[in-house]
Amino acid sequence: MPLPFPFYFLHLGLADVADVLLVTWLLYQLYKLLRGSVALNVALGLLSLYLVYLVVNALGLGLLSAILGQFMSVGVLASIILFQQEIRRFLLNVGKVAMEGGGPLGWWRRPSRPASGAPSVAAFVEAAKSLAGKETGALICFTLTSDLSSYAESGDRLDAEPSKRLLLAIFNKTSPLHDGAVIVAQGRLVAARCILPVSQNPEVPAALGLRHRAALGLTEASDAVVLVVSEETGQMSLVRHGEIHRGLAAAELKTRLQEWLLVAPTRPKPAAAG
């Protein structure tokens, strides 16, 4: 049904308005899904390339339009390959919301979730200090805005209140959970023995072990903050935005964790690792 006052040649109907609003909502949901990860940069790059293709096609630049057109023709397949983890996580979330929100017709109604809160850093600092004194390795990942559920699924579910004794028990060398990372979200220990992506950055110093490379890999792909205790040197380090801050004392470790976890995260300017 057309509106009473169409904009000259543009006949805008209610169905068109509903279509635009629905697409806007879907794009916003996609942005929330990709926010805080490198996948958002890839998506923006693909969108920019598509806009360039539209401009080139409108200008009638045949050769360049044909080249970009061949790339656009495989865009769907390329997107599935590039965003396979995000697509899987999206489908898992839709299925979970459908189950908890009232069946297939209630997928849009998200169930109530507890308010997210930053964890108290005292237990983590004390545990890290004790583990460093014994030269016992540890890897603790703090969730901010990026969804780390896909990494949590690779380990063993915990859903436990953080405490120094529990963390020491998890990372004890005789514990079956010590080999891997602990993921913290909404102030709770979500999972242990989790597998993280290893950084492929060739500039990473050769002296850094697998724990530090895994911490760098996760922070390159998300906005998480990772606490690392080195098994070789007993040094405590924090990794954020692909930058590692090594050899932190307990006081400095606590200060930085409080600053990065208890305050809304903002990406800092590039600086030398401390």
Side-chain angles (χ1 to χ4, degrees):
M1 176 172 41
L3 295 176
F5 302 101
F7 297 97
Y8 299 103
F9 63 90
L10 180 63
H11 297 277
L12 187 64
L14 293 180
D16 301 314
V17 174
D19 189 22
V20 171
L21 292 177
L22 182 59
V23 171
T24 303
W25 180 81
L26 289 175
L27 290 176
Y28 175 67
Q29 296 300 319
L30 179 63
Y31 166 74
K32 290 202 303 182
L33 181 68
L34 301 179
R35 181 180 58 189
S37 68
V38 293
L40 178 60
N41 295 333
V42 177
L44 292 177
L46 290 175
L47 179 60
S48 301
L49 192 60
Y50 180 68
L51 294 177
V52 170
Y53 167 71
L54 293 179
V55 173
V56 168
N57 195 35
L59 294 176
L61 303 179
L63 180 60
L64 187 55
S65 178
I67 295 174
L68 293 177
Q70 291 296 322
F71 183 83
M72 292 295 115
S73 64
V74 296
V76 175
L77 180 60
S79 299
I80 294 176
I81 296 174
L82 292 172
F83 302 114
Q84 53 181 321
Q85 289 191 358
E86 285 74 17
I87 293 173
R88 178 175 179 271
R89 186 166 68 240
F90 172 74
L91 294 177
L92 286 173
N93 289 340
V94 169
K96 181 178 179 181
V97 171
M99 293 292 292
E100 298 178 358
L105 297 180
W107 67 272
W108 52 270
R109 181 165 58 88
R110 297 187 63 85
S112 59
R113 298 179 59 185
S116 60
S120 171
V121 302
F124 299 100
V125 174
E126 290 300 321
K129 183 178 178 181
S130 180
L131 291 168
K134 301 175 183 178
E135 293 189 353
T136 300
L139 192 58
I140 305 174
C141 312
F142 299 93
T143 304
L144 293 181
T145 60
S146 298
D147 185 9
L148 304 184
S149 59
S150 60
Y151 303 111
E153 291 170 2
S154 67
D156 296 325
R157 304 292 296 187
L158 292 179
D159 191 22
E161 192 74 22
S163 68
K164 176 183 176 181
R165 286 187 294 179
L166 179 56
L167 291 168
L168 293 179
I170 291 174
F171 290 111
N172 188 291
K173 295 181 180 180
T174 60
S175 170
L177 300 177
H178 83 283
D179 190 15
V182 165
I183 292 182
V184 183
Q186 297 184 350
R188 297 183 66 82
L189 304 183
V190 176
R193 205 175 60 85
C194 300
I195 300 174
L196 304 182
V198 178
S199 175
Q200 302 298 323
N201 187 351
E203 297 182 0
V204 175
L208 295 181
L210 188 59
R211 281 191 180 87
H212 293 86
R213 290 179 178 272
L216 287 169
L218 180 65
T219 58
E220 288 169 354
S222 70
D223 64 350
V225 175
V226 183
L227 168 60
V228 186
V229 178
S230 173
E231 187 172 350
E232 290 76 19
T233 64
Q235 284 188 341
M236 297 182 293
S237 306
L238 283 177
V239 187
R240 183 193 190 203
H241 297 316
E243 298 178 359
I244 184 168
H245 306 263
R246 304 173 62 188
L248 301 179
E252 187 177 4
L253 178 67
K254 182 176 182 180
T255 300
R256 295 201 184 200
L257 278 178
Q258 287 177 335
E259 177 185 353
W260 294 348
L261 301 182
L262 304 182
V263 181
T266 56
R267 189 178 183 88
K269 296 180 180 180

